[in-house]
Amino acid sequence: MQLILIVPFRMQLWNLNTYLYGPKDDLKHRLLWREVYSAEEEAQLKALVCEAESRGLAFVYALSPGQDIVFSSSCDLTLLKRKLRQVSDLGCQAFALLFDDIDHSMCQSDTEAFSSFAHAQVTVANEIFHFLGEPPVFLFCPTEYCSSFCTPSVSKSPYLLTIGEDLLPGISVIWTGNKVISRELSPESLAEVQSVLRRPPLIWDNLHANDYDSRRVFLGPFKGRPPRLRAHLRGLLLNPNCEFEANFIPLHTLGSWYKEGKEEGKGESDEEAYSVDRVLSAALQDWMKELSLPLQPDNQHGAQPKCPMTSSQSTGALASDEIPADPVMSQDLKDGENQVSRIFSHEKTPRRGLCSGSIPLSEAQVRLLVGLYYLPHEHGPPAQNLLQDLTWLKANCHCVSVNGNGKKVEEWRDRAGRFLAACDDVALLHSAVVNSINRALLYDLYPYIWDLRNTLLVAKAFICWLGESDSMDDLSSSSGAELHVVEAEPWVFKGGLSGEVQMLLPVGTSSELFSHPPPLFPTSRLYNIRPFQQKDKRGKGSQDAAISHPDFIGDRCLGASLALCPEYSLVLEDELGVCGCAVGILDVCSFAKRCQATWLPAMRDKYPSRPHGASGHTATKALLYFHEEQDYPNSLLYNFPSQLKLEALPELVDCSVSRSLLTALLMALKANGSQGVFCEVQPTDGLRIEFLTKLGFLEILCGEARPREGVVLGRLL
């Protein structure tokens, strides 16, 4: 937790919003709770208390001693009092003792001293409450803090019954609802809790908390809590997103919920008193004003950003030649022109696309952003449509086979077009966030929108590939998370929208292909992955090439794959043209036979081993490529029947798209039954080996077993 706001109801003294301090990165909050703060730490904490007071906020200091406290130990009790006295001397007048997420077991001395675990906690809490002078705000978080944790139930829980009976009435008890993260809070369930605790509970609302999933953030409105809850609550605490800029709409709509719910006597229903659509629209309009401001991560208007997520144009800190090259470049390409630029058409231009920070987001883009990152139990309409279309397209991909029904094919292609357009909208949103004038927004939300952009880049490539494939294995039952009748906590299925899209893809269970940290330097360049087309092949010679024939580089590197199995050839392109390619072979054994029968004879005629006019060892060695047998051992092909090659231009700024390109190819191979894939890498190409290793590839052939000089890396699918 970092920031918690309290909306007061029944406690007259809670007439201010409240900041509760209980950060997990403060080791002396939980792990080292016995230790007092150093002079430097004390000064920082005092400054925080004073800052809260100057802004009209009540400051609540929370401590979590439950992991290892010995309740019967007078020494531990003395240390606990010493710690809280130190904080009290800094001006803090409100406190919280948290016993959440700990083991129910007690040590031998505690078992002898107390009748139950609840009795031990209550005894310590009551004594601390007296020690601090019975402050007007003193919170207690029980170990059973939601209905799903209560044994056997809320009304029959011995633990809660003891808390309600023995805890002093001046102490408020924290409650999260039916779950740790509750979709809804009902007056009926809270009335039951109030009866057991003998006081209205104080809701600790985790609706927008996102510290349990690094791929999720919640920008949606405060909802699922009817205004009539007030009759059963002592107050409400909102545990927000870890990212400050992500909390504008949650806090704005919470304020609307509180303000509108205060008005009584109008005879309105909960839905009329608090319309989610109405308050969300109002919050969006106000957020648009905030997003149009040139805020930096330190919230200073127009100040130079201090974070690394800035462009070279705005800071001058990073020249274009300092940008790390893409690791997919093979080692031999660093000594000459890149193979991709020789095989495909791509103009040589300076690297561009780094974030510039000059354009505000449009209202449509902000609405899309909120819809993609809505709430933990609920997607917004844009996310729902994406998932529905992808699920349908995958289940009905057989319709676009050679024997597909014409009407069904038309429906499939219409929905595919809608899905691809939605993916493009997210890519444009990613670029807009990178170029946003509000750099604070970029700093906080970039990792999330970047992750979704990459996941949808792969999903889009998959749908494009399905649309051009003649046949494939049945995909209707592959991947996808299992459905559970009982609603689970949001952290059971990680990743939010990105995770759900991922699980719908053939390689969705391979998290190493999707979960990676974002690049240090964001780029707004738009990328696309699509199947190879014959128009892409525009070979061109090079004055430095050992063989002057314009087709030689293309024929040697990718020619056989493009000629014999183009359906497993994918192209990565940006606004400037092709900037990468990935080619695969589904069955190397059968491919080798076809290659020997048709491709190699044609190449040997095209490139004789000793052509007229060619001289030198380099030229002879290059031409021998088409005149030598290239066999792989059966031990390799048994588990890894497929092969791939991956190339990218050195100008590629965001190397994550190379990972997306490789993932898209792996999906195509797995969708048609491959169980494993391998590739060859030069031993000196450390960057590429590291790149592939992070994606689950391991060295599978070494020593004499290797077919040639290269290192053979493979991974199962």
Side-chain angles (χ1 to χ4, degrees), residues 268-493:
E268 296 178 330
S269 66
D270 284 334
E271 291 74 16
E272 293 171 330
Y274 180 71
S275 168
V276 173
D277 292 338
R278 184 179 69 248
V279 300
L280 176 57
S281 294
L284 280 168
Q285 293 301 319
D286 287 345
W287 200 26
M288 288 292 299
K289 300 174 185 176
E290 179 88 4
L291 296 179
S292 66
L293 300 175
L295 292 177
Q296 300 297 342
D298 56 2
N299 288 328
Q300 298 296 316
H301 289 263
Q304 286 294 332
K306 298 178 181 179
C307 66
M309 284 201 175
T310 54
S311 67
S312 57
Q313 299 173 357
S314 63
T315 66
L318 184 71
S320 61
D321 59 350
E322 294 175 313
I323 300 172
D326 192 288
V328 177
M329 284 185 61
S330 59
Q331 184 71 27
D332 58 302
L333 301 185
K334 298 177 182 179
D335 300 325
E337 188 179 6
N338 183 267
Q339 292 180 11
V340 175
S341 62
R342 296 186 186 185
I343 301 170
F344 301 102
S345 175
H346 191 290
E347 296 298 326
K348 282 180 172 282
T349 60
R351 291 188 179 99
R352 64 182 181 87
L354 292 177
C355 53
S356 56
S358 59
I359 307 172
L361 272 68
S362 68
E363 181 176 347
Q365 289 173 328
V366 175
R367 288 185 177 274
L368 174 60
L369 183 65
V370 174
L372 296 172
Y373 303 97
Y374 200 61
L375 291 171
H377 297 284
E378 178 184 0
H379 292 304
Q384 293 178 21
N385 293 336
L386 273 168
L387 290 172
Q388 290 170 2
D389 285 340
L390 179 57
T391 301
W392 188 91
L393 290 168
K394 177 184 173 183
N396 294 276
C397 63
H398 59 277
C399 298
V400 289
S401 65
V402 290
N403 299 319
N405 177 274
K407 192 172 183 180
K408 199 72 172 178
V409 170
E410 183 178 354
E411 180 183 5
W412 194 95
R413 297 201 180 282
D414 286 344
R415 293 193 70 159
R418 186 171 70 185
F419 177 80
L420 299 182
C423 293
D424 289 340
D425 288 341
V426 175
L428 290 171
L429 174 63
H430 169 270
S431 295
V433 170
V434 171
N435 288 324
S436 171
I437 192 172
N438 190 311
R439 311 313 283 163
L441 178 77
L442 168 66
Y443 185 85
D444 279 354
L445 297 188
Y446 179 73
Y448 300 101
I449 189 64
W450 170 84
D451 175 50
L452 181 59
R453 187 282 305 261
N454 281 0
T455 304
L456 290 180
L457 183 62
V458 176
K460 180 185 176 184
F462 180 57
I463 295 302
C464 288
W465 178 80
L466 286 178
E468 298 194 11
S469 298
D470 294 333
S471 62
M472 65 206 68
D473 292 350
D474 181 20
L475 302 178
S476 59
S477 60
S478 62
S479 295
E482 296 181 3
L483 297 178
H484 292 258
V485 177
V486 179
E487 185 174 278
E489 294 283 6
W491 60 73
V492 173
F493 301 111

Side-chain angles (χ1 to χ4, degrees), residues 3-24:
L3 170 66
I4 298 186
L5 299 182
I6 298 179
V7 178
F9 301 141
R10 299 171 63 90
M11 294 190 67
Q12 193 172 12
L13 292 174
W14 291 10
N15 55 4
L16 297 173
N17 283 337
T18 301
Y19 177 91
L20 189 148
Y21 177 88
K24 294 178 178 177

Side-chain angles (χ1 to χ4, degrees), residues 508-584:
T509 56
S510 301
S511 60
E512 69 275 4
L513 296 175
F514 296 89
S515 299
H516 289 265
L520 186 61
F521 301 99
T523 171
S524 61
R525 186 173 293 184
L526 295 172
Y527 294 99
N528 183 43
I529 299 173
R530 59 170 175 80
F532 167 81
Q533 301 169 357
Q534 287 300 322
K535 66 179 182 179
D536 295 321
K537 187 176 180 181
R538 299 171 185 171
K540 54 184 179 180
S542 171
Q543 294 179 353
D544 298 328
I547 305 300
S548 60
H549 196 292
D551 295 340
F552 178 76
I553 295 295
D555 286 340
R556 175 176 176 176
C557 297
L558 305 175
S561 298
L562 296 180
L564 301 180
C565 51
E567 65 272 22
Y568 299 107
S569 301
L570 300 177
V571 166
L572 173 67
E573 60 184 359
D574 59 13
E575 301 101 317
L576 305 178
V578 175
C579 52
C581 64
V583 296

